[in-house]
Amino acid sequence: MSKRKLKESTLSVGDCVSKAQTILRERYCHQKLPEKPFGVESQYKHLLELLRRTAVHGESNSVLIVGPRGAGKTMLLKCVLRELLEVKQVKENVLLVHLNGLLQTDDRVALKDITRQLHLENVVGDKVFGSFAENLAFLLEALKKGDRSSSRPVLFTLDEFDLFAQHKNQTLLYNLLDISQSAQTPVAVVGLTCRLDVLELLEKRVKSRFSHRQIHLLSSFGFSQYKEIFAQQLSLPEDFPDKSFAEEWNENIQSLCEDKTVEDVLKKYFHSSKDIRSLHMLLILTLSRVTVSNPAIRAADLLETSRLCTADSKANILHGLSILELCLIIAMKHLSDIYDGEPFNFQMVHNEFKKFIQRKAHSILNFEKPVVIKAFEHLQQLELIKPMDGPSVKNQREYQLVKLMVDNSQIMDALQKYPQCPTDVKQWAASAFG
């Protein structure tokens, strides 16, 4: 019996890899909530207490969750709602309305969505209302219980809260906050925004009805915690069908965390953005490199994936240029160095290019001037150079001032990766001046 059980719990390598990828992709793509929110414990308690007072005691509230993108505002709210709705009585009684400033672009659309989410389309029917306030009041009145003595609490969450402040007369915000101040219907209004000056956007009448409660989120965790999140996001759960594969996988992830190459990649991500979603993008691409022949994540996989994620688009364009176009870019680089970043024109670039050809006697690079002009115009189309004034007059195009839009490191990187690049061209680029 025990042998049969052991057989059932041991999967083939292909099945294990497939199962691991399914579990981890679901974790990243569906933004699976953590068991407990990290780094925001005090904010979590504060918000939970506010919403519990509305859901259980019928006390109206309004609050703003403010923080930069990726700080965990939505995660915090979802974790609070998850705990709140675990109580059966609350789940059966509380109504949720989710609005987003990017979707509900005006008050009419927002009201229509509120009606849909409260399942009151049949109640409203073809009724005509004199004002927005009258319509909203009717909807909330319709939510009262059978004896019409008490109303069901409604939690309104307004994502991209600052965009609702751009609606005409801020009617939606005014009415929601006005209701949250009155004792008629238990309503909680939770706004999520990344703008610190959001209160300055509100009209005086709207601001006076807001409770001025704000919960600020900052990505306050350090690099050691970021590494823990990385390990946690890549680890397989305890209930994975093949225990031995899961143990090996998790041990490998722990050893990855101690690898110097992996640490450098994570530091680069940590210092550019603490947004966990950007980490998820890195992990999804790394996970796609796991196969039957390579059933574990290696440091090289993570390094290669990070290069793909942080690839410089302009450096990639440089890799596809012809030798002539690359030489013109190098000539511009020297002109920028000589004239301390001042703009230059085609004639100056052409003279610089001719000096290089005469010095190195390059017959293969000895192009006619019209050909060089065409190459110069192509660089302008690719937006590697930018004209300093309006569209050029045809007979004056050689003297129109332009500016180079790539820096020295991008040019040197492109030359290193350029296939069969002449040594003289590389040396010319590396020299201090042309």
Side-chain angles (χ1 to χ4, degrees):
M1 185 69 183
S2 58
K3 280 183 182 177
R4 190 184 297 167
K5 273 190 178 176
L6 188 68
K7 248 185 180 180
E8 285 171 0
S9 65
T10 307
L11 303 174
S12 68
V13 176
D15 289 339
C16 285
V17 167
S18 178
K19 184 74 177 167
Q21 286 185 331
T22 304
I23 289 169
L24 296 179
R25 278 186 184 138
E26 191 178 335
R27 186 181 292 170
Y28 309 144
C29 299
H30 294 272
Q31 298 289 318
K32 194 176 178 184
L33 294 175
E35 286 182 22
K36 284 185 179 178
F38 45 86
V40 288
E41 288 79 10
S42 61
Q43 293 95 325
Y44 179 81
K45 283 179 185 173
H46 186 187
L47 186 60
L48 181 62
E49 183 55 33
L50 274 176
L51 297 187
R52 185 177 278 137
R53 290 211 297 263
T54 303
V56 179
H57 305 297
E59 180 187 309
S60 291
N61 281 305
S62 56
V63 63
L64 275 176
I65 304 173
V66 186
R69 296 202 183 279
K73 300 184 292 294
T74 306
M75 180 270 292
L76 172 70
L77 179 61
K78 284 183 175 177
C79 285
V80 166
L81 290 176
R82 180 181 64 186
E83 184 170 334
L84 195 67
L85 299 176
E86 278 175 0
V87 181
K88 190 181 177 185
Q89 188 186 350
V90 173
K91 190 175 183 179
E92 289 173 354
N93 199 33
V94 170
L95 293 162
L96 296 176
V97 176
H98 299 288
L99 301 175
N100 191 308
L102 294 168
L103 300 175
Q104 285 79 39
T105 50
D106 62 48
D107 291 341
R108 184 182 56 81
V109 175
L111 194 60
K112 201 172 179 183
D113 226 324
I114 291 169
T115 309
R116 181 186 62 79
Q117 291 187 47
L118 295 176
H119 306 293
L120 294 174
E121 296 97 330
N122 295 336
V123 179
V124 173
D126 297 323
K127 282 187 174 67
V128 177
F129 297 96
S131 66
F132 183 95
E134 193 183 321
N135 195 340
L136 189 60
F138 175 81
L139 290 177
L140 296 172
E141 184 70 26
L143 296 174
K144 287 195 173 178
K145 291 180 183 174
D147 58 359
R148 303 185 69 81
S149 62
S150 59
S151 296
R152 294 180 69 180
V154 187
L155 305 183
F156 287 92
T157 66
L158 280 68
D159 215 340
E160 305 290 346
F161 182 85
D162 49 288
L163 296 182
F164 287 100
Q166 294 174 18
H167 291 190
K168 190 183 175 184
N169 300 330
Q170 298 183 357
T171 312
L172 174 71
L173 294 182
Y174 172 77
N175 282 284
L176 285 178
L177 294 173
D178 189 49
I179 290 164
S180 74
Q181 267 205 339
S182 68
Q184 297 171 2
T185 309
V187 164
V189 180
V190 183
L192 292 87
T193 181
C194 56
R195 287 193 60 165
L196 291 169
D197 63 341
V198 66
L199 290 181
E200 302 305 313
L201 306 175
L202 301 179
E203 290 178 7
K204 193 176 178 182
R205 63 181 190 140
V206 178
K207 201 187 287 188
S208 66
R209 281 158 176 78
F210 176 54
S211 67
H212 290 266
R213 283 195 190 92
Q214 291 187 54
I215 296 173
H216 286 270
L217 293 190
L218 296 168
S219 301
S220 55
F221 54 85
F223 180 66
S224 58
Q225 198 167 7
Y226 189 77
K227 271 208 304 186
E228 283 174 26
I229 294 165
F230 166 78
Q232 180 192 330
Q233 292 295 313
L234 271 179
S235 298
L236 291 175
E238 290 178 5
D239 60 351
F240 191 78
D242 193 314
K243 297 285 181 193
S244 61
F245 180 87
E247 281 171 16
E248 280 177 34
W249 178 279
N250 292 343
E251 280 170 18
N252 176 57
I253 298 304
Q254 289 304 321
S255 63
L256 272 180
C257 291
E258 292 158 20
D259 190 285
K260 183 72 175 68
T261 312
V262 173
E263 197 167 283
D264 289 343
V265 169
L266 292 179
K267 270 183 183 170
K268 188 178 177 183
Y269 266 77
F270 176 75
H271 292 306
S272 64
S273 167
K274 292 183 183 179
D275 191 344
I276 302 301
R277 290 171 297 190
S278 65
L279 178 64
H280 281 169
M281 180 56 72
L282 174 73
L283 299 183
I284 286 171
L285 291 173
T286 306
L287 196 61
S288 65
R289 301 174 79 87
V290 176
T291 57
V292 177
S293 55
N294 174 36
I297 293 173
R298 299 169 301 184
D301 294 331
L302 205 70
L303 185 63
E304 187 56 37
T305 306
S306 75
R307 280 182 187 149
L308 284 172
C309 286
T310 56
D312 189 329
S313 57
K314 279 189 177 167
N316 285 343
I317 292 172
L318 289 174
H319 298 159
L321 297 180
S322 66
I323 284 290
L324 170 59
E325 288 164 344
L326 207 54
C327 285
L328 293 181
I329 289 279
I330 295 166
M332 292 180 218
K333 167 194 178 292
H334 288 315
L335 286 170
S336 292
D337 291 343
I338 293 165
Y339 297 109
D340 197 22
E342 288 296 311
F344 42 82
N345 58 35
F346 168 76
Q347 198 58 49
M348 294 164 73
V349 176
H350 190 239
N351 291 342
E352 196 71 25
F353 177 55
K354 272 167 61 179
K355 273 193 233 172
F356 166 66
I357 291 172
Q358 287 161 6
R359 194 166 61 248
K360 296 295 179 183
H362 259 295
S363 56
I364 54 163
L365 292 175
N366 200 4
F367 295 98
E368 295 293 323
K369 192 173 181 179
V371 177
V372 182
I373 287 177
K374 277 288 178 193
F376 187 81
E377 286 174 348
H378 184 233
L379 293 175
Q380 196 168 318
Q381 287 169 358
L382 292 171
E383 297 183 4
L384 295 175
I385 54 176
K386 177 188 174 186
M388 296 304 291
D389 45 18
S392 60
V393 182
K394 280 188 180 177
N395 57 355
Q396 291 289 315
R397 64 184 174 181
E398 294 172 30
Y399 301 99
Q400 185 190 21
L401 290 175
V402 296
K403 193 168 186 177
L404 186 62
M405 302 306 287
V406 287
D407 60 34
N408 293 0
S409 62
Q410 290 172 317
I411 297 166
M412 298 312 291
D413 180 54
L415 284 166
Q416 293 301 320
K417 294 176 182 176
Y418 199 91
Q420 298 174 340
C421 181
T423 309
D424 289 339
V425 174
K426 282 186 180 179
Q427 287 172 349
W428 180 38
S431 63
F433 298 111

